[in-house]
Amino acid sequence: MLVVVGVLATALTVCSIVRAARNAPVTGGQIPWMIVVEAALVVQAGVIGVLQARGHPVADAVLLWGYVVTSLLMLPVAFGWAFVERTRWSSVVLAIAAAVVVVLQVRLWQLWQ
């Protein structure tokens, strides 16, 4: 699941970087990508919750859940910002938020090992 979310968030990052390079704001075409990534993050949080409930050991459960919650909040906050900011910077904000989700996926993988 971590790889799937990472790949989807990377695709959203690249798409947003291309839009920013073209001096274009976030458009309706990027919203379905955000929804797909967010849905994958929700499923991932559920899977992590079930595995934790079954006793899967994790080095630091508080840090793990901090990363999970932060991942869940990044794209909705970026979407809100992009909805208000109708310049190329909305694409930059979305690219940064999606890149942060990718980094958090790497950190989740490291904690889960």
Side-chain angles (χ1 to χ4, degrees):
M1 192 71 203
L2 292 169
V3 173
V4 171
V5 173
V7 168
L8 290 171
T10 300
L12 182 59
T13 302
V14 170
C15 177
S16 299
I17 288 171
V18 168
R19 301 259 331 141
R22 292 181 178 167
N23 202 20
V26 172
T27 62
Q30 289 167 289
I31 293 171
W33 284 101
M34 285 189 279
I35 292 170
V36 167
V37 174
E38 191 67 25
L41 287 168
V42 169
V43 170
Q44 179 186 56
V47 169
I48 290 172
V50 168
L51 291 174
Q52 283 264 279
R54 290 186 178 174
H56 189 283
V58 177
D60 188 353
V62 173
L63 187 59
L64 175 89
W65 283 103
Y67 288 154
V68 169
V69 170
T70 302
S71 292
L72 286 169
L73 293 176
M74 287 304 296
L75 293 178
V77 169
F79 173 74
W81 188 329
F83 187 73
V84 172
E85 179 75 33
R86 300 305 304 160
T87 65
R88 76 178 277 194
W89 295 106
S90 63
S91 293
V92 172
V93 168
L94 182 57
I96 291 169
V100 168
V101 169
V102 173
V103 171
L104 289 173
Q105 295 305 300
V106 172
R107 288 295 296 140
L108 282 170
W109 179 76
Q110 290 171 345
L111 281 173
W112 201 252
Q113 298 303 314

